[in-house]
Amino acid sequence: MSATPSASLSRCAVIFNPIKVSDDFRSLIEGALPDDQYAPLLWLETSEDDPGHGMVRRAVEDQVDLVIGAGGDGTIRLIADGLADTGIPLGIIPAGTGNLLARNLQLPLDEATAIRVAFGDHSRSIDLIKLTVDEQDPVHFAVMAGVGVDAVIMNETDPDLKKKIGVGAYVVAASKALGRLPLRLTVRVDGSRVLRRHAMLCLIGNVGDLQAGITLIADAEPDDGLLDVYIASPQRFTHWVKVLLRMITRRAQKDDRVDQLKAQRVTIRLDEPDHYQLDGDAMGKASMLTAEVAPGALVVRVPG
């Protein structure tokens, strides 16, 4: 008995943030569909009440063969978390401000080109980092998480002001953040090495590049089976200059007050609870963050 046509076709779920994508998004997706390869698409739109959890859960339960995720870093993080260790490929359509995972994987930022890559035949397995905050359930992230100046900036940035003046809103937030820091914290790496720091920034990274071609964590690779720890503890103006030089040259500077380590597991314990961020999203306050690498947990469609 021959299989029905629908049984032989691949299934694809499209999870998208309707506020972020273009007006032509649906037609671009449908126009890029390979002929006679896919069953009717499963369209799953995120909302303010559910930014992606329920959508990716449904896609996994339906055992789709491909998930296309369109949105900013927050949307992509939630989809990646839901797809961790499922083997279902993720096609990323960058539609946010940062698009940091796409940038680090050198994926196209143009919507139409990214869609063509998503439906392509080339994939890459990358690591995710499983993060447990205090007593909460663990989640996965793909870019960076941490405490310090970036987390406070994310928390302090006024969304309305950001719409009006763009990057200037982050400058306003940064001035507030610098007045509240540094943080006293203890970092335990792979259960043995312990660092006690008075830090302005403490990050756990899966990748190292930021926007505008800036590299924060040199040598960070998304598929090396390790996470990267970056701790900056400048105390004087000269220390800040050396931290900046380190970012520009991608090389350590003498007495730059930066610790950069690779590990499989790290725990950050704060003396006092403070704000933390997850792939650029302010997540609230935490006292302890424990992260461990999940090697090859996510399959991502990439250019040939």
Side-chain angles (χ1 to χ4, degrees):
M1 181 176 178
S2 62
T4 61
S6 60
S8 64
L9 296 178
S10 298
R11 301 193 64 204
C12 173
V14 183
I15 303 174
F16 66 104
N17 183 334
I19 298 175
K20 298 287 188 178
V21 298
S22 73
D23 294 338
D24 298 326
F25 177 69
R26 281 180 177 259
S27 60
L28 287 172
I29 289 280
E30 291 168 347
L33 272 173
D35 293 338
D36 302 324
Q37 290 186 28
Y38 284 88
L41 297 173
L42 177 62
W43 293 94
L44 300 171
E45 186 174 308
T46 67
S47 65
E48 187 174 345
D49 293 333
D50 187 345
H53 296 286
M55 297 81 203
V56 69
R57 184 165 55 247
R58 179 177 172 186
V60 173
E61 289 173 351
D62 284 4
Q63 298 181 329
V64 300
D65 302 287
L66 171 67
V67 170
I68 291 179
D73 287 324
T75 301
I76 300 303
R77 177 184 64 79
L78 290 175
I79 297 172
D81 180 37
L83 293 181
D85 294 318
T86 64
I88 300 173
L90 169 62
I92 298 174
I93 314 301
T97 303
N99 302 316
L100 289 182
L101 182 57
R103 293 177 189 275
N104 277 272
L105 297 181
Q106 298 182 341
L107 302 181
L109 302 182
D110 172 71
E111 191 175 71
T113 307
I115 289 170
R116 289 197 296 271
V117 170
F119 282 120
D121 298 324
H122 299 277
S123 298
R124 177 184 181 184
S125 294
I126 67 169
D127 306 331
L128 293 177
I129 298 177
K130 185 169 73 171
L131 181 72
T132 303
V133 177
D134 296 332
E135 301 300 321
Q136 301 175 30
D137 292 335
V139 296
H140 295 83
F141 68 89
V143 181
M144 298 178 191
V147 297
V149 62
D150 65 327
V152 176
I153 288 173
M154 297 302 172
N155 184 72
E156 293 286 350
T157 300
D158 186 325
D160 294 331
L161 188 62
K162 183 179 175 181
K163 291 179 182 178
K164 293 178 181 178
I165 65 174
V167 177
Y170 291 108
V171 176
V172 174
S175 64
K176 298 179 182 179
L178 293 174
R180 295 176 48 184
L181 298 167
L183 302 174
R184 296 185 182 274
L185 49 81
T186 302
V187 180
R188 182 179 293 273
V189 181
D190 282 340
S192 56
R193 185 174 181 180
V194 177
L195 304 175
R196 177 70 179 167
R197 293 292 184 265
H198 201 200
M200 294 295 292
L201 177 67
C202 183
L203 283 176
I204 305 157
N206 190 43
V207 295
D209 291 345
L210 305 177
Q211 292 173 269
I214 296 173
T215 297
L216 180 64
I217 309 176
D219 302 325
E221 296 291 344
D223 54 4
D224 60 0
L226 296 168
L227 55 80
D228 292 81
V229 184
Y230 181 96
I231 312 168
S233 310
Q235 296 178 356
R236 299 192 296 270
F237 176 75
T238 54
H239 296 154
W240 279 107
V241 172
K242 290 181 178 181
V243 169
L244 292 175
L245 283 174
R246 183 186 182 111
M247 293 170 60
I248 294 170
T249 64
R250 304 187 183 189
R251 294 182 180 180
Q253 305 293 310
K254 184 179 179 181
D255 193 31
D256 58 15
R257 298 300 179 95
V258 173
D259 300 285
Q260 187 173 321
L261 308 161
K262 288 184 178 291
Q264 293 180 318
R265 179 183 173 91
V266 62
T267 298
I268 302 169
R269 188 182 298 272
L270 303 170
D271 285 14
E272 298 290 338
D274 213 293
H275 297 282
Y276 75 101
Q277 63 88 8
L278 201 53
D279 283 2
D281 286 337
M283 303 299 291
K285 289 190 174 184
S287 298
M288 185 170 70
L289 296 85
T290 300
E292 55 186 314
V293 67
L298 182 67
V299 180
V300 180
R301 286 285 168 83
V302 295

